Amino acid sequence: MPGQKIQIFDTTLRDGEQVPGCKLVTSEKLELALQLEELGVDIIEAGFPISSPGDFNSVTEIAKLITKATVCALSRAVEKDIEAAGLALKFAKRPRIHTGIGTSDSHIKAKFNATREEILERAIQSVKWARKYTDDIEFYAEDAGRTDNDYLARVVEAVIKAGATVVNIPDTTGYCLPQQYGDKIAYLINNVPNIDKAILSCHCHNDLGLATANSIAGVIAGARQIECTINGLGERAGNTALEEVVMVIKQHKELDLYTDIKAPLLNPISRKVSDIMRMNVQPNKAIVGSNAFSHSSGIHQDGFLKDTTTYEIIAPEEVGADSSKIVLTARSGRSALAFRFQKLNFQFDRNDVDALYQQFLLVADTKKEVEDADLEKMALAHQQNSLATA
Ligand code: KIV
Ligand code: ZN
């Protein structure tokens, strides 16, 4: 496998499950955890054990069930949270505690009414508490996207010294531009003296639609873990979509990065998550949307039918999607019409298609999409007409 590995930290069962209407019961979380492991994610964030007895139970059961992936539990920088996370992970083969605190001035003042020095101490203390339960400790500097870089570097250095092996740099509010987020990661790599003892993780929200771009900028700058969810589910406008970052990394070989995700399982798991969470996927969603491999304009259809790579950079089977579709609308052209007639077993020559195309446009102007039944009707009428005039 070429290049450097990017760890995929899936938080569908935690950040994704926070979405209103997406709450899961233990049996549903277990079913998804198994599929995430099969997909090849490196870390499954199973839940937030202190938040409810049900979630404590879910994390406990996932920890027992999962054998290959690391199972992670979230906590605040609060002793009883960390204790709950540690206990819920008791049976995990590879347990990770994810603890942290807000580090931006907005969080320090408005949420904690504290000072930077006090927050630094609480951050260090949280990692020390977590070490009682596991050596795999991830620290999150919440709202790192809006945290002053000098202060952030001090926090990162201190938590690594205290024992954190992964430091999460969340763009909690989805505020950063890709360049800014990448620069932040580069700044930490260049200014934290003990950075070689930990890896940096990207956790980017999508409030400005930049989550995927920011995560990719983060790994280009040297982060080695991406936190993401299936279908980009997550608080507010969502989190980074797993399927997007995985396919960006796979498509852009020049990045010299790879993940262990089995791409053909991306569409099946997307559908499973959508069903269980009762959250539809937008049709134009990259990789897993129902239109991701549909072609409807005449110019695109003509090119696609000559050579699929003219308009598709990924073959649908590569990501487990249904075959590409040629959709007929009033913007479609003759090649697409001829192709669809052929699929319906009608053999028409160029003159036939020319004649049928005019009828097709009349129907197409009255509908969103021309269906097989419309085409059959047109084709049969055309055949009868041809016989009558022969
Ligand atoms: O968005 C965020 O900052 C989070 C943390 C709890 C990691 O979800
Ligand atoms: Zn988040």
Side-chain angles (χ1 to χ4, degrees):
M1 195 58 83
Q4 299 217 25
K5 166 143 177 197
I6 299 301
Q7 305 270 337
I8 295 295
F9 174 116
D10 181 275
T11 182
T12 307
L13 303 182
R14 199 280 295 170
D15 211 316
E17 202 235 15
Q18 287 170 210
V19 174
C22 286
K23 200 200 131 322
L24 302 173
V25 295
T26 300
S27 57
E28 292 167 329
K29 277 197 156 189
L30 286 170
E31 191 181 345
L32 286 183
L34 278 177
Q35 296 209 3
L36 289 167
E37 184 170 51
E38 173 62 17
L39 177 69
V41 308
D42 300 284
I43 302 107
I44 297 173
E45 187 162 48
F48 184 14
I50 195 77
S51 66
S52 76
D55 215 35
F56 183 94
N57 185 46
S58 295
V59 176
T60 305
E61 295 306 318
I62 292 171
K64 286 182 193 160
L65 184 71
I66 293 300
T67 54
K68 292 194 286 268
T70 294
V71 179
C72 177
L74 185 77
S75 70
R76 293 167 298 181
V78 172
E79 194 169 11
K80 66 177 180 3
D81 281 37
I82 295 169
E83 185 187 8
L87 294 178
L89 291 170
K90 195 163 151 203
F91 299 106
K93 322 290 166 295
R94 290 183 195 77
R96 174 179 296 181
I97 293 180
H98 190 191
T99 190
I101 195 161
T103 54
S104 65
D105 287 335
S106 155
H107 280 222
I108 292 174
K109 291 199 183 85
K111 270 176 71 176
F112 304 114
N113 189 23
T115 63
R116 285 185 175 184
E117 294 313 310
E118 283 163 350
I119 293 299
L120 187 64
E121 284 312 312
R122 283 170 71 170
I124 297 168
Q125 184 58 59
S126 68
V127 175
K128 288 187 179 158
W129 282 324
R131 282 184 66 183
K132 287 193 213 153
Y133 303 95
T134 174
D135 289 335
D136 188 347
I137 299 156
E138 174 168 339
F139 179 85
Y140 64 86
E142 198 181 6
D143 204 16
R146 294 187 299 169
T147 299
D148 165 62
N149 282 350
D150 284 348
Y151 176 64
L152 187 60
R154 284 182 60 209
V155 173
V156 172
E157 182 181 354
V159 295
I160 295 175
K161 197 164 161 221
T165 45
V166 181
V167 187
N168 180 7
I169 308 299
D171 185 21
T172 304
T173 57
Y175 170 76
C176 289
L177 292 170
Q179 178 87 42
Q180 287 170 332
Y181 190 75
D183 286 351
K184 191 173 280 287
I185 297 292
Y187 184 88
L188 295 173
I189 289 175
N190 293 325
N191 291 281
V192 173
N194 54 0
I195 199 71
D196 57 312
K197 306 217 163 35
I199 67 165
L200 292 179
S201 180
C202 311
H203 179 114
C204 299
H205 277 269
N206 204 31
D207 300 68
L208 293 173
L210 293 171
T212 295
N214 285 348
S215 298
I216 296 297
V219 293
I220 290 174
R224 285 294 167 260
Q225 177 176 287
I226 296 180
E227 308 196 2
C228 45
T229 60
I230 304 293
N231 299 338
L233 292 170
E235 283 276 352
R236 306 179 310 280
N239 209 302
T240 302
L242 180 149
E243 58 277 7
E244 294 177 9
V245 287
V246 164
M247 290 314 292
V248 172
I249 288 172
K250 194 154 187 273
Q251 287 289 303
H252 284 272
K253 306 262 182 282
E254 75 279 13
L255 297 180
D256 213 19
L257 301 171
Y258 72 95
T259 73
D260 281 344
I261 297 298
K262 296 176 189 135
L265 298 182
L266 288 173
N267 268 273
I269 198 164
S270 160
R271 282 194 288 268
K272 175 55 99 185
V273 167
S274 168
D275 288 349
I276 289 195
M277 292 195 164
R278 293 188 202 92
M279 188 59 73
N280 289 339
V281 175
Q282 71 194 62
N284 58 324
K285 169 82 183 59
I287 320 294
V288 295
S290 56
N291 285 347
F293 299 97
S294 292
H295 305 273
S296 71
S297 92
I299 297 171
H300 290 211
Q301 291 170 333
D302 183 54
F304 173 81
L305 289 169
K306 287 174 177 147
D307 178 345
T308 57
T309 63
T310 53
Y311 286 94
E312 275 184 359
I313 57 165
I314 300 169
E317 55 277 13
E318 200 186 324
V319 290
D322 295 338
S323 334
S324 309
K325 275 189 282 194
I326 292 287
V327 180
L328 292 181
T329 74
R331 307 291 158 258
S332 299
R334 286 174 176 74
S335 334
L337 184 64
F339 170 81
R340 285 280 296 271
F341 277 134
Q342 232 172 40
K343 286 225 138 204
L344 292 170
N345 289 324
F346 291 103
Q347 305 304 329
F348 290 128
D349 64 19
R350 197 177 245 247
N351 291 335
D352 290 320
V353 174
D354 276 348
L356 280 159
Y357 186 62
Q358 300 313 317
Q359 292 175 40
F360 161 77
L361 286 180
L362 294 177
V363 177
D365 264 341
T366 66
K367 308 187 75 173
K368 296 265 185 234
E369 189 181 329
V370 178
E371 318 276 350
D372 282 351
D374 302 310
L375 295 177
E376 269 162 8
K377 221 157 113 188
M378 267 180 247
L380 292 173
H382 181 77
Q383 281 173 336
Q384 273 171 8
N385 214 13
S386 307
L387 280 177
T389 52

